[in-house]
Amino acid sequence: MRRFLLVMLLAAVCLAADNDWLIVPGERVGPITGSTSRADLTRLFGAANLKDEKIHLVEGEYAPGTWVYPKDVKKRLAVIWKDKARTRIELIKITGSVSEWRTVDGVTLGMRLSKLETINGKPFSFSGFGWDYGGNVVGFDGGALDAEKHNLPLQLSDDTSRAKQLTQEQRESLLGDQTLRSDNALVRKLDPWVCQMVVTFKS
């Protein structure tokens, strides 16, 4: 009986870990923390769920990385390493249009700008679309997601069906190295979505 209870307890712990998709900015992404090594990833997720390769950052730059769940779009994330030995994490990138990973307040991939603004409690700022830094949130302007409290860099995508509602001239007005506001009438009409979350850890 005691052995059966122990097995059940261990199974419950494993299930809890398997379902832990919570991002705590600056602290953890599920079971991954700033001190997690490549060997730890194998223990946490299993060798079959990992893939090592150079991962694209920006402007043609690549860094040593490890994909976790590389074939599962809902679970996939990229661990970028500070060193070739893969013992220290530089950052974690989660990209795409859908994900199990989310913050306690619900921020996740695929979330629309309108919902993000609601969570923030006020309009925020981001860079114009159409280049490597396009759609990067540059400031939550003192809202609930402000970097000092949240520290979760986000990138927005303008690849939305609503783009058809904008003229070519209107679309072009949202491109390039400029700062846009989420309360801009054209931006709200477009209603872009979160396509990337980046997590760094407190030193």
Side-chain angles (χ1 to χ4, degrees):
M1 181 65 177
R2 186 176 300 175
R3 185 173 182 180
F4 173 78
L5 290 175
L6 180 59
V7 169
M8 292 298 293
L9 179 61
L10 289 173
V13 170
C14 290
L15 181 61
D18 186 53
N19 290 329
D20 183 8
W21 307 106
L22 183 66
I23 299 171
V24 181
E27 296 182 18
R28 69 183 182 90
V29 178
I32 306 173
T33 68
S35 61
T36 299
S37 67
R38 176 60 174 79
D40 292 329
L41 291 182
T42 301
R43 176 177 54 81
L44 291 168
F45 301 101
N49 294 316
L50 304 176
K51 180 181 180 181
D52 295 323
E53 68 178 16
K54 289 185 178 180
I55 295 173
H56 180 255
L57 299 178
V58 291
E59 297 183 332
E61 293 184 10
Y62 289 79
T66 300
W67 288 102
V68 177
Y69 296 119
K71 298 180 180 179
D72 190 328
V73 295
K74 290 186 177 182
K75 298 179 181 180
R76 183 171 56 207
L77 61 78
V79 177
I80 313 299
W81 303 101
K82 290 182 178 180
D83 58 330
K84 291 183 179 180
R86 303 175 191 266
T87 60
R88 296 178 297 149
I89 295 178
E90 178 75 31
L91 57 88
I92 290 177
K93 286 177 59 177
I94 306 172
T95 58
S97 60
V98 62
S99 181
E100 297 279 5
W101 303 101
R102 61 195 64 239
T103 66
V104 67
D105 37 22
V107 177
T108 187
L109 297 183
M111 175 171 283
R112 292 287 180 173
L113 173 141
S114 51
K115 177 64 174 177
L116 196 61
E117 188 178 84
T118 298
I119 293 175
N120 192 48
K122 61 187 302 186
F124 58 91
S125 306
F126 61 96
S127 59
F129 299 106
W131 59 306
D132 273 7
Y133 298 98
N136 281 355
V137 175
V138 296
F140 283 106
D141 303 336
L145 300 179
D146 190 271
E148 292 185 2
K149 311 167 191 173
H150 203 260
N151 191 31
L152 183 70
L154 302 176
Q155 185 176 28
L156 305 175
S157 171
D158 63 341
D159 184 11
T160 166
S161 59
R162 292 193 178 196
K164 298 176 183 177
Q165 301 175 22
L166 275 62
T167 66
Q168 183 68 22
E169 184 178 0
Q170 289 174 329
R171 286 290 306 276
E172 290 178 355
S173 73
L174 302 179
L175 302 178
D177 188 4
Q178 61 172 314
T179 298
L180 301 173
R181 295 264 300 173
S182 62
D183 56 356
N184 176 300
L186 292 180
V187 169
R188 285 192 167 170
K189 193 171 184 179
L190 182 64
D191 203 18
W193 47 277
V194 177
C195 63
Q196 178 171 277
M197 301 184 288
V198 175
V199 181
T200 56
F201 298 102
K202 298 174 184 176
S203 55

